[in-house]
Amino acid sequence: MKKYNLIIVTLFLFVTASCDNQSRKQNTSAKIDEMNIGFVRLDSLTKLYDYHGVLVKEIEAKAKKMEAELIRSQQNIQTEYEVLQQAAPNLSKIELERAQLDFQRIQQQYQALEQQRTGELQQEELEMNTFVKSQVDQAIDKMKDDLDLDIVLIYESNLLYAKENMDLTVELASYLNELEIPDQEK
């Protein structure tokens, strides 16, 4: 008899736990259905955000100027080298060593200039990315309040699939394009 009671109690507990688990699943799915979720495609957003295009063009123009400056410096180094080669047969050993040291100094100055310009360009890009991120954060704050969003995801990095009606990229770009453009450039 004790075995039957134990079996009945166990079955009762199992059925109760099963029902409780079923109601939890229903509550969880109801909560998920109530959430307002969207995603943003960053690659598309950068194309739709007008000011981002302006900033990129500015950086590209600076990069072209830097590249032209470096090309001129390389040409100067090449000219110095050719002059050194032509004069080498007529120079004494001491004069040749001095000329070679001067040439090495010029090469080192070029390398330092190249590193400096590369660092400046990287700094410009970092400042641009920081600014754009702050603009995106502002736009998302406004959009999430207006649309009562619970979650906004980035499609490319942490989302495998979502329905297209959850894509907020165009709307976020609209919010970004409405933001005030700063008067002073960095």
Side-chain angles (χ1 to χ4, degrees), residues 25-36:
K25 284 182 182 177
Q26 288 172 347
N27 286 340
T28 303
S29 66
K31 287 179 185 176
I32 290 175
D33 290 342
E34 292 172 8
M35 292 183 76
N36 197 359

Side-chain angles (χ1 to χ4, degrees), residues 39-51:
F39 68 88
V40 175
R41 296 178 191 270
L42 291 181
D43 57 343
S44 300
L45 184 63
T46 58
K47 294 174 187 169
L48 297 171
Y49 178 28
D50 298 333
Y51 191 58

Side-chain angles (χ1 to χ4, degrees), residues 38-40 45 48 139-140 142-144 146-147 149 164-178:
F39 68 88
V40 175
L45 184 63
L48 297 171
I140 285 178
K142 182 159 176 38
M143 185 176 72
K144 76 177 177 63
D146 291 350
L147 301 177
L149 295 170
E164 284 302 314
N165 64 346
M166 297 174 75
D167 188 349
L168 302 171
T169 307
V170 174
E171 288 176 76
L172 182 56
S174 297
Y175 280 89
L176 281 167
N177 289 328
E178 290 174 6

Side-chain angles (χ1 to χ4, degrees), residues 74-88:
Q74 281 179 332
Q75 290 170 343
N76 291 341
I77 289 174
Q78 184 64 33
T79 303
E80 289 283 331
Y81 181 74
E82 290 170 0
V83 168
L84 179 62
Q85 274 189 326
Q86 290 174 356

Side-chain angles (χ1 to χ4, degrees), residues 51-143:
Y51 191 58
H52 181 267
V54 170
L55 293 173
V56 167
K57 286 179 184 177
E58 288 176 4
I59 287 179
E60 287 173 350
K62 288 178 184 179
K64 284 182 182 180
K65 282 182 182 179
M66 289 179 187
E67 184 179 355
E69 179 184 10
L70 292 174
I71 288 172
R72 280 192 307 275
S73 294
Q74 281 179 332
Q75 290 170 343
N76 291 341
I77 289 174
Q78 184 64 33
T79 303
E80 289 283 331
Y81 181 74
E82 290 170 0
V83 168
L84 179 62
Q85 274 189 326
Q86 290 174 356
N90 301 328
L91 297 176
S92 69
K93 185 176 180 180
I94 294 175
E95 291 173 329
L96 183 59
E97 286 177 5
R98 283 183 187 160
Q100 288 174 336
L101 288 174
D102 283 345
F103 182 71
Q104 287 176 350
R105 181 185 48 79
I106 291 170
Q107 282 183 314
Q108 289 171 348
Q109 287 174 344
Y110 169 76
Q111 290 171 347
L113 178 66
E114 185 178 32
Q115 288 176 349
Q116 178 186 357
R117 295 300 184 246
T118 300
E120 288 171 3
L121 193 59
Q122 288 173 344
Q123 182 63 32
E124 291 270 340
E125 289 175 352
L126 178 64
E127 288 173 5
M128 179 195 71
N129 290 337
T130 302
F131 173 76
V132 169
K133 184 186 179 323
S134 72
Q135 294 290 92
V136 169
D137 290 345
Q138 278 183 343
I140 285 178
D141 278 346
K142 182 159 176 38
M143 185 176 72

